[in-house]
Amino acid sequence: MEGLFTIENFITLGLLTMLQAVLGLDNLLYISLESKRAPVEKQARVRNIGIGVAIVLRIVLLFVLLELIASFQNPIFSIGWTGIIEGQFNIHSLIVLFGGVFIMYTAVKEIMHMMALDAHAKIDEKPKSVGMIITSIIIMNIVFSFDSILGAIALTDIFWVMAVAIIIGGLLMIWLSGKVTEFLKKNRMYEVLGLFILFIVGIMLLSEGGHIANLEIFGNHITPMSKTTFYFVIAILIIIDIVQSKYQKNLTKNL
């Protein structure tokens, strides 16, 4: 027992907690945008329940992966259309690909809805049911959890260290999700930016799932988008949005 509570394990715990925080940024954005579809008085409850249940399921998934990781990595079917599309799909790749498609669909649907709104129309979209929103948050939380869990397994084999890091990361997400949601409420124009970032998250998941499946399309192997590239693209989008807003204000002053 004493061997479990070592300085090395606590250092690893700190590293894993930071890993959970960094890899959870895209998930945090999804949770904040999705919870806004619930009635205002229930949004905090939706986020807390969704993330809380997801934390428990992440720990269960961690245990399952530790015991059955080979089953998640072994191919379950393959596509062999030579020169067109080839790949070997396992459970891991299918979950990640499903997450990417779902997020891209959600982002495109919301962007199209915003474009269809009349400038003077009153937004009276019916809120989604609380159960559907919580389910969406839980499912996507599990999809996003694969990176952090596999990263944790690569750093340590001590279960309690990984489980505590997941719990701390989840609690940080509960705290930050409310702040992000409030920011989006007060700055509605940033919702568009958030949706485009969410769209890029979907692309990132698709590229990762394709890479895991060794997918080749027309002879070109799918390579995953790195987190560095992802954050660089986000930074560029934010800079463009800031410059565009400043330029628009200057034009308005000169009219």
Side-chain angles (χ1 to χ4, degrees):
M1 180 65 71
E2 291 181 1
L4 295 177
F5 299 99
T6 63
I7 293 176
E8 181 182 352
N9 284 343
F10 281 106
I11 291 174
T12 304
L13 174 61
L15 291 173
L16 286 179
T17 302
M18 286 190 289
L19 179 68
Q20 291 284 331
V22 172
L23 295 179
L25 289 176
D26 39 17
N27 192 11
L28 179 63
L29 177 62
Y30 177 83
I31 291 169
S32 300
L33 288 169
E34 187 68 15
S35 67
K36 285 175 80 276
R37 299 158 108 16
V40 176
E41 69 278 4
K42 296 181 179 179
Q43 288 179 7
R45 178 169 164 264
V46 164
R47 290 192 300 269
N48 294 343
I49 293 176
I51 298 173
V53 173
I55 290 172
V56 175
L57 291 179
R58 276 192 178 199
I59 293 174
V60 172
L61 180 61
L62 170 63
F63 179 78
V64 171
L65 280 176
L66 286 173
E67 297 296 321
L68 304 171
I69 191 166
S71 299
F72 279 80
Q73 305 300 331
N74 290 335
I76 55 177
F77 72 91
S78 62
I79 297 176
W81 299 340
T82 305
I84 301 175
I85 180 170
E86 300 176 69
Q88 294 183 325
F89 298 85
N90 54 28
I91 296 175
H92 183 187
S93 65
L94 291 175
I95 290 174
V96 176
L97 286 168
F98 166 78
V101 171
F102 181 79
I103 285 181
M104 289 181 70
Y105 165 75
T106 301
V108 170
K109 184 179 71 172
E110 288 304 308
I111 290 169
M112 295 301 292
H113 174 72
M114 286 181 173
M115 290 175 64
L117 284 173
D118 183 78
H120 303 289
K122 183 178 180 181
I123 300 174
D124 57 353
E125 184 183 1
K126 185 179 179 181
K128 288 175 65 176
S129 72
V130 170
M132 285 180 62
I133 296 170
I134 291 175
T135 301
S136 297
I137 290 174
I138 292 171
I139 291 173
M140 294 315 302
N141 214 304
I142 292 173
V143 171
F144 281 113
S145 70
F146 267 90
D147 271 353
S148 57
I149 290 177
L150 291 175
I153 292 173
L155 286 176
T156 182
D157 58 355
I158 308 298
F159 180 80
W160 78 263
V161 173
M162 293 182 277
V164 170
I166 288 172
I167 293 171
I168 294 174
L171 293 175
L172 284 173
M173 200 170 290
I174 289 175
W175 177 60
L176 289 172
S177 64
K179 296 184 179 299
V180 173
T181 303
E182 286 302 314
F183 176 81
L184 291 175
K185 282 182 184 176
K186 295 175 182 177
N187 303 272
R188 295 298 299 273
M189 289 303 297
Y190 285 104
E191 284 188 36
V192 178
L193 175 63
L195 288 171
F196 274 100
I197 292 174
L198 206 60
F199 184 82
I200 295 171
V201 170
I203 294 174
M204 181 180 67
L205 287 176
L206 284 180
S207 68
E208 182 183 342
H211 176 71
I212 294 169
N214 294 315
L215 191 62
E216 290 187 10
I217 299 177
F218 299 115
N220 297 305
H221 184 74
I222 302 298
T223 56
M225 180 188 292
S226 70
K227 285 289 182 179
T228 303
T229 302
F230 173 67
Y231 293 133
F232 177 76
V233 172
I234 289 178
I236 294 298
L237 285 176
I238 292 172
I239 291 170
I240 291 172
D241 194 76
I242 292 171
V243 171
Q244 176 68 22
S245 299
K246 180 67 175 174
Y247 178 61
Q248 194 167 2
K249 287 179 181 177
N250 290 339
L251 284 179
T252 304
K253 288 178 183 178
N254 293 328
L255 288 177

